[in-house]
């Protein structure tokens, strides 16, 4: 019997971060992945039971209250496995790049909600373009400042950035984030070969 349950949606890049970590740290055997359907307008009861705000992912544990927010969960799983995804050497750089990836996810998911959940006549192009500018700001920073880190040993920074870029391909491929980001695109193509990333691919 699994000692933990991950409440998640397969399309969520934040949930994918946790799922990749489970595979990279060989902890999938200890966790049951529970895929749910939820939205900002209709919050799933399982999600609400684990996290009072109803957001996903969350991780229920037999020995304590559920953990939520992907960065909390990944820190917990990393510590549990002593995996070194948050190394002391260069920790602040790793956390900053992880936050960059997470911020890109936030903006990209916001665009998806605007386009998919609001009536067409109420969709704000100004809002979606402002959010996309934030995504591009993240890509520009990664390409211009952080490729040495991304080309180094695996950390949580790598996983966050990869999940962000994977979500851009899933929901916003037509915007072509790769244009002007050749080094980042090459890095992502290589990272995408990892079994943990392929195993968590979602194309629905």
């Amino acid at each position: 019997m699994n000692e933990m349950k991950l409440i998640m949606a397969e399309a969520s890049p934040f949930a994918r971060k946790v799922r990749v970590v489970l595979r990279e740290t060989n902890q999938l055997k200890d966790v049951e992945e529970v895929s749910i359907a939820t939205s900002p307008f209709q919050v799933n009861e399982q999600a609400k039971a684990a996290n009072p705000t109803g957001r996903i992912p969350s991780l229920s544990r037999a020995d304590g209250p559920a953990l939520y927010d992907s960065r909390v969960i990944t820190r917990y799983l990393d510590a549990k496995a002593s995996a070194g995804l948050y190394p002391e050497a260069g920790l602040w750089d790793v956390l900053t790049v992880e936050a960059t990836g997470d911020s890109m996810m936030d903006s990209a998911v916001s665009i998806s909600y605007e386009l998919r959940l609001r009536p067409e006549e109420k969709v704000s192009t100004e809002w979606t373009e402002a959010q996309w500018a934030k995504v591009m700001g993240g890509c520009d920073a990664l390409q211009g400042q952080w490729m040495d880190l991304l080309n180094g040993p695996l950390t949580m920074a790598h996983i966050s950035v990869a999940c962000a870029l994977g979500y851009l391909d899933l929901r916003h491929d037509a915007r072509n984030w790769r244009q002007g980001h050749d080094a980042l695109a090459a890095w992502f193509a290589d990272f995408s070969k990892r079994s943990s990333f392929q195993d968590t691919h979602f194309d629905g």
Side-chain angles (χ1 to χ4, degrees):
M1 182 177 178
N2 300 111
E3 63 182 75
M4 296 178 282
K5 288 186 178 181
L6 178 67
I7 307 301
M8 53 159 242
E10 291 181 69
S12 166
F14 296 100
R16 191 179 193 185
K17 279 179 59 184
V18 178
R19 300 180 71 209
V20 170
V21 168
L22 286 173
R23 288 155 175 79
E24 290 286 350
T25 61
N26 195 32
Q27 294 183 84
L28 187 59
K29 62 186 182 300
D30 302 321
V31 178
E32 179 186 355
E33 295 182 331
V34 181
S35 183
I36 63 169
T38 189
S39 81
F41 299 130
Q42 293 183 315
V43 177
N44 181 281
E45 288 301 317
Q46 280 184 281
K48 191 185 296 184
N51 177 350
T53 70
R55 294 178 182 270
I56 54 171
S58 62
L59 183 73
S60 64
R61 304 174 293 162
D63 59 352
L67 302 176
Y68 46 86
D69 187 277
S70 63
R71 277 181 277 190
V72 174
I73 299 171
T74 56
R75 286 295 292 260
Y76 171 78
L77 293 172
D78 178 66
K80 192 173 175 63
S82 299
L85 295 175
Y86 293 95
E88 282 301 314
L91 177 61
W92 299 112
D93 288 349
V94 169
L95 290 174
T96 297
V97 176
E98 180 187 15
T100 301
D102 284 7
S103 293
M104 291 167 61
M105 292 182 213
D106 259 332
S107 290
V109 169
S110 180
I111 296 171
S112 295
Y113 285 165
E114 183 74 10
L115 296 177
R116 294 161 70 92
L117 300 180
R118 287 174 67 86
E120 186 176 355
E121 68 275 9
K122 293 184 178 180
V123 170
S124 170
T125 301
E126 184 178 12
W127 172 260
T128 58
E129 292 309 310
Q131 295 305 310
W132 186 251
K134 295 176 182 180
V135 173
M136 287 295 94
C139 287
D140 290 346
L142 293 168
Q143 169 91 18
Q145 187 175 356
W146 296 112
M147 291 312 303
D148 284 348
L149 186 153
L150 291 175
N151 286 320
L154 181 69
T155 68
M156 201 59 222
H158 298 68
I159 295 171
S160 176
V161 169
C163 290
L165 298 177
Y167 186 78
L168 297 184
D169 282 352
L170 174 66
R171 294 292 187 230
H172 308 296
D173 190 43
R175 287 181 176 265
N176 190 17
W177 65 265
R178 289 172 175 81
Q179 185 174 356
H181 305 108
D182 293 348
L184 185 61
W187 171 83
F188 180 61
D190 187 58
F191 189 94
S192 297
K193 298 172 185 176
R194 298 182 78 93
S195 59
S196 63
F197 204 68
Q198 294 184 9
D199 192 43
T200 56
H201 177 72
F202 176 77
D203 58 8

